Amino acid sequence: MIRSGKGLTVDDIRKLSPSAKISEPVGTTNPKRWSNAAPNTIDCQHFPSKVEARVYLLLCGMFGKSNIRRQVTMPLVAGAGNAQLKPLRMTVDFAVMDGVKVKFWVDAKTKRKSREWLRGVSLFSATWGEIVEWDGLGNVPEQLVKLRAAEGL
């Protein structure tokens, strides 16, 4: 079942997933939050924003649900931790897998990015590889097309 906040419209969902079950939109946005992202639920999975839900549906269509991992947290070994020697970690929205190996990382991003994200993505890229940022609109990012072709997916 799909529930959409003030994010995806029923027409958007039908375009992305024609066989999806759609319920009436629910949810509100909180004006005090840093982001006004509206939460969505698609196929019993909660997404914090319509952008992340849209990217998930498109990635599932391209690579299959079994090859997509959500909210993958990895240590940033290239960066220093805090005074208590707690390592820094970063969570990426999606990892596209080939069996047990991560082929590439995808993060659902709009134009607005926090300073922590910009700092974290450079450390993450140095440690684990490049992150493809995608808003799920328009064309598939060129990086993603090249990676997909190179990996044979």
Side-chain angles (χ1 to χ4, degrees), residues 5-55:
K6 291 185 179 177
L8 292 172
T9 65
V10 172
D11 291 334
D12 291 338
I13 294 168
R14 285 197 178 115
K15 287 177 190 172
L16 294 172
S17 183
S19 63
K21 296 178 184 175
I22 302 170
S23 66
E24 289 298 316
V26 296
T28 59
T29 58
N30 182 351
K32 293 182 181 180
R33 290 177 41 187
W34 180 81
S35 169
N36 285 329
N40 290 278
T41 302
I42 297 179
D43 294 334
C44 300
Q45 293 190 49
H46 173 75
F47 295 91
S49 71
K50 64 181 178 180
V51 173
E52 190 171 328
R54 183 172 46 236
V55 170

Side-chain angles (χ1 to χ4, degrees), residues 19-147:
S19 63
K21 296 178 184 175
I22 302 170
S23 66
E24 289 298 316
V26 296
T28 59
T29 58
N30 182 351
K32 293 182 181 180
R33 290 177 41 187
W34 180 81
S35 169
N36 285 329
N40 290 278
T41 302
I42 297 179
D43 294 334
C44 300
Q45 293 190 49
H46 173 75
F47 295 91
S49 71
K50 64 181 178 180
V51 173
E52 190 171 328
R54 183 172 46 236
V55 170
Y56 173 75
L57 286 174
L58 293 169
L59 286 173
C60 286
M62 292 171 70
F63 303 105
K65 282 186 181 182
S66 62
N67 293 325
I68 307 296
R69 301 292 180 267
R70 291 189 55 230
Q71 300 299 312
V72 182
T73 302
M74 301 294 285
L76 297 175
V77 294
N82 61 16
Q84 290 84 23
L85 299 176
K86 184 177 178 183
L88 296 174
R89 300 182 321 166
M90 183 172 166
T91 301
V92 179
D93 292 333
F94 305 103
V96 178
M97 309 289 289
D98 181 20
V100 296
K101 185 179 177 187
V102 174
K103 289 297 183 182
F104 49 92
W105 309 92
V106 179
D107 206 80
K109 283 285 176 247
T110 58
K111 292 179 183 177
R112 186 174 184 186
K113 296 177 180 83
S114 68
R115 286 180 291 199
E116 289 80 18
W117 168 257
L118 296 173
R119 181 174 49 243
V121 75
S122 62
L123 288 173
F124 190 93
S125 296
T127 307
W128 300 105
E130 181 184 10
I131 298 175
V132 177
E133 296 178 16
W134 189 19
D135 64 359
L137 295 173
N139 297 327
V140 177
E142 189 175 322
Q143 302 159 302
L144 191 56
V145 173
K146 287 180 182 177
L147 289 169

